[in-house]
Amino acid sequence: MSAEPRINDRIRVPEVRLVGPSGEQVGIVPLAKALELAQEYDLDLVEVAASARPPVCKLMDYGKFKYESAMKAREARKNQAHTVIKEMKLRPKIDPHDYDTKKGHVVRFLKQGDKVKITIMFRGREQSRPELGFRLLQRLASDVEDLGFIESNPKQDGRNMIMVLGPHKKKTEAMAEAREAQAARKAERQGTTPDAEPEGDVAEAPAAAAEAPGETPSEA
């Protein structure tokens, strides 16, 4: 079935509860009278509550209404925050430099409002030392505790150990902060662009010219 409301001559009831163009209550009127008013206002008669008795209809520009509704829905989809789960893989005996690099990625993901799945990969004899992976995960969680929290505690999954970190900030908050930071950077770049020469240089030019040596008149 179509989700579109019935409009104008597609409305098939003897009378309607009519709402005017500005939202004013006109009252219960015959359908023919409602259609006549729609023609006078050069608007459409739109059934907005079909289940009411009698149905509620409103006088409006239906084409404009559909366009504005589509724009609002598009903007809502644009601003909708989707939770994303990023993944970061580490080895139990990771060296300090690689650890700092991986931690930097986790920090960036959490700042963006995304969850992070941390996977410790065990190989060979490392599988007999699960405490190494557990301590590494605990260390990482402690290092980023200002930005995220342990949403899923470390657990063994075959040759891997997995932990999930959740961000303290919601995705919508992170997106809003990112937009504000981008706008601030843009404004800063525009503000530092020179539009004119400094006033000091202009003011000093005549003085410099006045001080320039000229021809000295001979004494009589």
Side-chain angles (χ1 to χ4, degrees):
M1 296 180 62
S2 174
E4 294 283 333
R6 294 188 295 182
I7 65 172
N8 299 327
D9 56 359
R10 285 190 287 174
I11 302 173
R12 304 290 186 181
V13 292
E15 59 184 13
V16 299
R17 184 179 297 277
L18 186 63
V19 179
S22 301
E24 68 276 15
Q25 297 290 329
V26 178
I28 298 176
V29 300
L31 177 62
K33 177 63 175 177
L35 290 171
E36 181 181 335
L37 289 172
Q39 289 182 348
E40 289 181 9
Y41 283 105
D42 193 23
L43 296 172
D44 299 300
L45 181 67
V46 182
E47 190 177 57
V48 295
S51 60
R53 290 293 179 267
V56 179
C57 295
K58 184 176 181 180
L59 298 175
M60 68 173 73
D61 184 338
Y62 188 58
K64 180 179 178 182
F65 171 76
K66 285 185 65 177
Y67 174 78
E68 291 177 348
S69 297
M71 290 298 99
K72 289 179 181 179
R74 180 180 178 182
E75 188 66 21
R77 288 193 299 270
K78 179 180 177 181
N79 294 328
Q80 187 175 7
H82 297 282
T83 300
V84 177
I85 299 181
K86 305 289 187 177
E87 184 170 10
M88 188 60 56
K89 296 182 179 180
L90 294 80
R91 294 293 307 280
K93 298 180 180 179
I94 188 171
D95 65 69
H97 176 74
D98 286 344
Y99 175 81
D100 289 339
T101 300
K102 300 281 188 178
K103 183 180 72 173
H105 293 314
V106 173
V107 167
R108 176 164 54 87
F109 295 148
L110 292 174
K111 283 184 176 180
Q112 293 173 352
D114 296 322
K115 296 182 181 181
V116 189
K117 176 183 176 183
I118 313 296
T119 302
I120 305 294
M121 301 179 297
F122 296 95
R123 294 180 182 176
R125 296 181 179 179
E126 293 176 346
Q127 297 180 57
S128 63
R129 300 289 306 278
E131 69 276 6
L132 295 178
F134 182 80
R135 286 200 296 265
L136 182 58
L137 291 176
Q138 291 294 320
R139 174 189 172 189
L140 180 59
S142 177
D143 287 346
V144 299
E145 61 183 356
D146 291 342
L147 300 172
F149 62 95
I150 299 177
E151 185 173 289
S152 177
N153 288 314
K155 62 180 179 180
Q156 195 78 25
D157 182 15
R159 295 185 177 184
N160 299 329
M161 183 174 288
I162 298 172
M163 177 181 72
V164 178
L165 295 175
H168 289 312
K169 290 182 181 178
K170 295 182 180 179
K171 185 71 172 180
T172 50
E173 295 176 357
M175 291 172 62
E177 288 185 1
R179 286 195 294 267
E180 290 177 1
Q182 183 178 9
R185 289 193 297 269
K186 182 177 179 181
E188 184 177 355
R189 287 196 300 269
Q190 292 175 345
T192 55
T193 302
D195 296 327
E197 294 294 330
E199 294 181 359
D201 295 343
V202 176
E204 291 174 0
E211 294 173 1
E215 295 183 2
T216 304
S218 61
E219 295 181 4

